[in-house]
Amino acid sequence: MKSTVRFSPGRVRVIAELTVLEAVRQRLFGALLALAAGMIAGALLLREFNFGSSELKFITDFGFGAVTLFGTILAVVTAAQLFFAELESRTALTLLAKPVLRSEFVLGKFAGVAAVLALFTAVTTGVLVAVLWMRESALREIAPEAFEQGRLVQYGSIAAFALLQWLKFAVVAALTLVVAGFAHTNLYSVVLSFLVVLICHLQYLAHESWQKAASGVARIAALLLAAVFPNFQMFNVGDRIAAGQPIDPAVLGGSAAYGGLYLAVFLVLAIHVFRRREI
Amino acid sequence: MGLVVLVLAATGWLGARIGRDAWVVLKADMPVLTAQDVEAAAGEGIMVGILGGFRAVTADFLWVRTNASWEDQDLPATQTLIHLVTTVDSRPLIFWINGARMIGYDMPVWRIDAASRAGAGMPGNVQARVFHEQAVAAIALLERARVHHPNEPLLWIEIGNLRHRKMGDLAGGAEMYRQAAEMPGAPYYAGRIYGEMLRQLGREREAYDWLVALHRGLPRDDPMAMPEIVLGRIQELEDRLQVPVGERYRPDE
């Protein structure tokens, strides 16, 4: 029998709000947030470990690394955990027995996770900006001649970095929902998603290997990898910012459009897979 | 599953077109990893560092490892780590220059020492070949560095030193110094040393003309420029070239 229930953004919002509450109550969110923020602040203590680049560049790079690493972990684990929590506690059955579409359930879960990721990105980026501002101000007093042209850190670019990373985390979360739709356990879904995320980071190498590969089998394997998996290095503007190079808005736009495309596709796939899943 | 793969492949095709221009820019900052680099990075447990950010700190960690291997005179490990550290983070010049010095100046000595410890002393001609081989390897590293830092005169100077001191190629070394001296931001000593190299090559007239032109452009208020040293060299060359008194260089004119 065909469902006569119409899609409701209101129901999506309610599911999203509950998802946010549930995620924030989890210890994992607080632990990862504290760990990332602590690491960023701890960059000040690692200044002596810095050989190659200037101190502010080192702190920026270290901070970007912490945001990216812990954000990715949070995206995978939270999306999988919150999805399976509903299935394992059978609340999904109760929920979907009411006039709630499966697409609303998936989109609500995703929106909730995306909001949590936005909170994580905002807090960690805020800590990074505070640490950089503090250290830059201290350095300005020690060596004012180095700051004759004004502040060295491009705080606007850091905000752009944060936005792009949030988009990447959202893509990772949507990808995890696709995997979770297939998977039967939370653990399997987390492990497989991390594997896919790793492949997505190495995808650009597969693309190059495809162009250079001599043997037919290697060429086909590399072509498949390059075609099927998104290139997560498209979101890697951190190196450019840490090196003090400006970010062209066209580059940001291109990366955001790329991320938006994959986000939309992964969400459609997550809904498609979940619709076919037996609960 | 087939549908999912098909949709992803179509998305990949579309995404590559949407993000093409952005990728051209971003790719320039990415470490150029080969399969061997990925293997070595995985072996060092630094894949997360390379792929998930932390490039500077990963490179610093690898640099500590490189120096530990250097202290142990472990040639294969040092060479692999130098390659890895410069691949992970190509931005800091220190990795390239110090890495090249390890390869070009220290490693030949290790190889010769290792041979004598093994009871097989190296004849002079074999030692010379070892020094030559290591200098070529060091220059190859610096050539890679020049791709990442095309406007950095210190790399040209480093290649010049290796050619001159380790390969006995004074003319090749001098040419590197000339190119370095003509680059913006070159240290003052590059021009001075090029003049001296020309003199050693027996091209005294050329050295004289070069040093006069150099002296004219040197700031008088910067102690690093050392204009009095350059002037002293000019006067020595004027004596050797027997430049008539009336034609001698007068800096105040």
Side-chain angles (χ1 to χ4, degrees), chain A residues 123-186:
Chain A
V123 172
T124 49
T125 308
V127 173
L128 175 60
V129 166
V131 167
L132 280 169
W133 185 275
M134 209 170 69
R135 192 59 201 149
E136 193 178 23
S137 302
L139 288 171
R140 275 178 97 170
E141 283 182 22
I142 298 165
E145 67 281 359
F147 295 87
E148 278 168 1
Q149 309 290 323
R151 287 196 173 263
L152 297 175
V153 179
Q154 305 170 44
Y155 292 97
S157 295
I158 293 177
F161 165 85
L163 275 174
L164 214 52
Q165 291 320 294
W166 172 76
L167 182 60
K168 178 186 161 185
F169 301 152
V171 173
V172 171
L175 182 159
T176 306
L177 287 177
V178 177
V179 175
F182 285 116
H184 289 291
T185 64
N186 182 14

Side-chain angles (χ1 to χ4, degrees), chain B residues 145-177:
Chain B
R146 290 205 295 188
V147 175
H148 297 279
H149 301 275
N151 303 313
E152 185 45 75
L154 293 178
L155 295 172
W156 271 252
I157 289 172
E158 208 57 39
I159 295 175
N161 287 338
L162 282 158
R163 282 200 178 163
H164 172 35
R165 293 181 194 164
K166 297 293 161 189
M167 298 170 83
D169 177 11
L170 181 57
E175 176 55 20
M176 285 293 120
Y177 264 92

Side-chain angles (χ1 to χ4, degrees), chain A residues 49-52 58 61-62 65-66 68-69 201 204-205 208 227-228 231 233-234 236 239-240 251 255 257-258 262 265, chain B residues 3 8-9 11-12 15 18-19 22-23 25-27 29-31 33 38 48 51-52 54-56 60-61 64 91-92:
Chain A
F49 186 59
N50 161 31
F51 305 110
F58 178 81
D61 194 84
F62 196 77
T68 308
L69 178 67
H201 276 103
Y204 80 106
L205 295 175
E208 281 171 14
V228 171
N231 176 9
Q233 300 297 350
M234 280 290 294
N236 188 6
D239 286 337
R240 191 153 268 266
V251 172
S255 298
Y258 184 85
Y262 268 101
V265 169
Chain B
L3 179 71
L8 286 175
T11 311
I18 289 176
W23 180 236
V25 177
L26 294 171
K27 196 182 167 193
D29 298 327
M30 288 303 305
L33 297 171
V38 173
V48 173
L51 301 172
F54 292 120
R55 256 174 92 183
D60 289 346
F61 163 76
V64 173
R91 296 166 293 182

Side-chain angles (χ1 to χ4, degrees), chain B residues 38-50 58 61-62 65 84:
Chain B
V38 173
E39 202 180 318
E44 291 290 329
I46 55 157
M47 275 318 283
V48 173
I50 299 176
T58 305
F61 163 76
L62 284 173
R65 294 280 316 271
L84 200 54

Side-chain angles (χ1 to χ4, degrees), chain B residues 144-215:
Chain B
R144 268 182 59 216
R146 290 205 295 188
V147 175
H148 297 279
H149 301 275
N151 303 313
E152 185 45 75
L154 293 178
L155 295 172
W156 271 252
I157 289 172
E158 208 57 39
I159 295 175
N161 287 338
L162 282 158
R163 282 200 178 163
H164 172 35
R165 293 181 194 164
K166 297 293 161 189
M167 298 170 83
D169 177 11
L170 181 57
E175 176 55 20
M176 285 293 120
Y177 264 92
R178 184 191 64 75
Q179 289 181 21
E182 288 176 348
M183 290 169 82
Y188 295 118
Y189 67 79
R192 283 202 306 272
I193 292 177
Y194 175 58
E196 178 57 20
M197 284 172 145
L198 285 176
R199 197 191 60 74
Q200 286 177 19
L201 283 164
R203 290 150 62 180
E204 290 182 336
R205 185 73 225 183
E206 214 179 316
Y208 175 71
D209 292 341
W210 169 267
L211 289 172
V212 166
L214 178 72
H215 190 267

